[in-house]
Structures are given as C-alpha cells and as structure tokens.
Amino acid sequence: MENTTMAAIGTRIAEVRRSHKVTQEALADMLGVSPKHISHVENATSCLSLKAIIQFCSIFDCSMDYLIFGKQNNEALSKLPDEIVKILNTGSNEDIARLNRYLQVYVEIQNE
C-alpha cells in the first residue's frame, strides 16, 4: 500500500480513536493487537488487518469508506461539506447530538 494512503488511514484512525477518548493501549486491547502496532498504524509504518479494520469500524460506528478513502460512498452524504462528514464519522455522541440539534433548527427555519 502506498505510504501516503497508509498515512491518511493512520491519521483517520487516530482521529476516530481520539474523538472517542480512547488510548492507543485501550484500542490495542479492543483489537487484540499490541499498543506498539497501533502506534505504527497511526504513524504509517504498518497497517491493520482487514479483520481489525472491520472491528474498528464496528466498535466506533465508523464508515469503512471514511476510514479508507476519507469520504462517504453515499451520494447524499458525499454532497455534505467535509467538516460535517468528519463529525458524522469521528465525532463523539455529543458532537453528533449537537449537529442534529443544528439541523433540526435549520429544518424549523425552512418550514416557517
């Protein structure tokens, strides 16, 4: 895998992990790998197995499209600004709830 691709995936893994306030050690335990391996993944010197990527996405309710490609492979979601897609994929429950409240206000304003 190309190093820039590995770096981008590692960065997104770190973003998702940090947004959920999970340490590298805790993530390593969740995935059954060493903390050193997680560090290597986040620094683009190694990569997770497909099984570990699937586990990661399941644990953090993260889209594999976002994790691998940095975007949604969904036409409607792909039209959203990158910042919103990032919140949807890496945001905490509080971030997503806040975004939902903003969108509800927007819908109310549109209906007036």
Side-chain angles (χ1 to χ4, degrees), residues 47-105:
C47 54
L48 291 175
S49 68
L50 179 57
K51 178 182 175 186
I53 289 172
I54 292 169
Q55 282 179 287
F56 181 91
C57 290
S58 178
I59 291 166
F60 295 107
D61 194 27
C62 175
S63 162
M64 198 177 297
D65 286 327
Y66 175 75
L67 197 62
I68 304 299
F69 300 111
K71 59 184 176 179
Q72 292 290 339
N73 195 14
N74 174 299
E75 187 176 339
L77 291 176
S78 69
K79 294 178 183 178
L80 293 174
D82 290 340
E83 294 81 9
I84 292 176
V85 173
K86 185 175 178 180
I87 291 170
L88 291 171
N89 284 293
T90 67
S92 66
N93 289 338
E94 295 82 23
D95 293 334
I96 293 170
R98 186 177 308 113
L99 177 60
N100 191 31
R101 286 192 304 274
Y102 289 140
L103 293 174
Q104 287 172 345
V105 169

